[in-house]
Amino acid sequence: MPSRALFRTLSLPLSVLAMLSCLAVPASAAQTLRNLVSVEGVRENPLVGYGLVVGLNGSGDSTQVKFASQSVVNMLKQFGVKLPDGAEAKNKNVAAVMVSAVFPPGYRRGQPIDVTVSSLGDSKSLRGGVLLLTQLRAADNEVYALAQGNVVVGGLNASGASGSSVTVNTPTGGRIPNGANIEREIGSDFSTRAEVMLRLKTPHFQTATNVVEAINRRFGPLATTADGASIEVIAPANPTERVAFMAKLQALTVEVGTDVPKVVFNSRTGTVVIAEGVRVRAAAVTHGALKVVIAESSAVSQPGAFSGGRTAVTPQSKLSVDQGSGRMFKWPAGAKLQTIVDIVNSLGASPDDIMAILQALDQAGAIEGELVVI
């Protein structure tokens, strides 16, 4: 059950709305190029593997997890230990885990990376465990790194003989800092291609045009674009000069194109976010709540003495309808975000109310922006 503080944060976002409107950065503000684009051929690659964590103090997988015991049997075979046919390795000091990591761009053989270890079975905790040598594979099923080491767990689980238990954070997951070493490099054509391709993180025709103009103004006619998502830049052939060129390129300041302002609803948490730039045409709005209350009770009928009757229980229902105090208000034409916030807060409207009001305004064509429900 969520705490009271969390409930207030989710159900009363309108108090945060005014603050967001003051801190919001205009959509057309200038940003450095590194924040706007990614470089083709320079990206992270996810790695994943399956392994065993040993050395747990009875908090490993139970015998119900068949793949864990099978993995122990297969591992022992590699070291020349063969169990009798049909025998299972019943050991609660072992847990089957999935190991994940990210291969950073440009990393070479022998460099370490961090790994995340997550329980796959019904292990209670990985605290104090050691990950055995695990192969980490990419999407092409090739092994690119080997992981092993002590698992650092930030969670805690404790239980008593009566069955009561307490859990802090998540004890079934942990990390191993520098727990894997790169064994195979991922090739890239970044240093061999004649040009460098920049991909806009948020495609926009005006932003792409501004990027091309900023690059050509600073370095000469080197950049071109064919759409609103990518920019092609001719780069030096010498690797050292190319790296220096990219450093200067990413430091350029570029004006970002203006997007359509949005109103975002999160129907699960009741959060309403109105972006800077949303305007409302003149409209009159009334909003009221219909509340129906049905109360059930029972009446006991007691017969008189020596009447021979029986005690009877009669159900009774009490129904009331409250139409609420619907009020009408008017937003002036071209009203800004701060005006909307002030009017809504003055009415004491809830997040559900503002959702209903803005949805109705959007259907009426009175909102100059895009309505998004997530």
Side-chain angles (χ1 to χ4, degrees), residues 66 70 77:
K66 301 299 182 183
Q70 181 181 354
K77 286 182 180 179

Side-chain angles (χ1 to χ4, degrees), residues 137-170:
R137 302 174 182 270
D140 58 0
N141 205 33
E142 295 290 340
V143 177
Y144 286 90
L146 297 177
Q148 182 171 278
N150 297 316
V151 182
V152 179
V153 179
L156 174 66
N157 177 272
S159 59
S162 63
S164 59
S165 63
V166 60
T167 302
V168 180
N169 295 331
T170 305

Side-chain angles (χ1 to χ4, degrees), residues 248-269:
K248 296 177 182 179
L249 196 66
Q250 290 185 331
L252 284 178
T253 301
V254 179
E255 292 288 335
V256 181
T258 303
D259 285 322
V260 177
K262 297 180 180 180
V263 179
V264 181
F265 298 151
N266 190 322
S267 57
R268 296 181 298 276
T269 63

Side-chain angles (χ1 to χ4, degrees), residues 17-81:
L17 210 55
M19 180 183 68
L20 291 178
S21 66
C22 297
L23 299 179
V25 178
S28 59
Q31 298 186 35
T32 55
L33 189 60
R34 67 169 56 89
N35 297 331
L36 300 176
V37 302
S38 60
V39 182
E40 185 177 292
V42 181
R43 66 180 181 89
E44 296 179 339
N45 289 274
L47 304 177
V48 68
Y50 171 82
L52 293 175
V53 171
V54 300
L56 304 175
N57 188 17
S59 60
D61 293 331
S62 67
T63 56
Q64 302 297 323
V65 183
K66 301 299 182 183
F67 55 83
S69 59
Q70 181 181 354
S71 299
V72 173
V73 172
N74 294 339
M75 179 194 66
L76 293 177
K77 286 182 180 179
Q78 297 178 12
F79 293 95
V81 179

Side-chain angles (χ1 to χ4, degrees), residues 77-118:
K77 286 182 180 179
Q78 297 178 12
F79 293 95
V81 179
K82 187 176 185 305
L83 296 180
D85 294 338
E88 294 184 355
K90 300 179 180 180
N91 192 337
K92 294 199 67 177
N93 294 339
V94 180
V97 296
M98 294 302 296
V99 184
S100 58
V102 173
F103 194 122
Y107 265 43
R108 301 300 180 184
R109 186 176 303 170
Q111 288 187 268
I113 57 175
D114 297 343
V115 298
T116 300
V117 182
S118 306

Side-chain angles (χ1 to χ4, degrees), residues 33-34 36-42 190 193 195-201 208 211-212 215 219 222-235 245-246 249-250 252 254:
L33 189 60
R34 67 169 56 89
L36 300 176
V37 302
S38 60
V39 182
E40 185 177 292
V42 181
F190 168 75
R193 293 175 55 180
E195 69 285 334
V196 172
M197 189 68 70
L198 306 179
R199 304 292 185 184
L200 283 175
K201 297 178 181 179
V211 170
V212 171
I215 295 175
F219 301 102
L222 301 178
T224 57
T225 181
D227 51 41
S230 59
I231 298 96
E232 187 175 292
V233 184
I234 300 175
F245 172 76
M246 290 303 301
L249 196 66
Q250 290 185 331
L252 284 178
V254 179

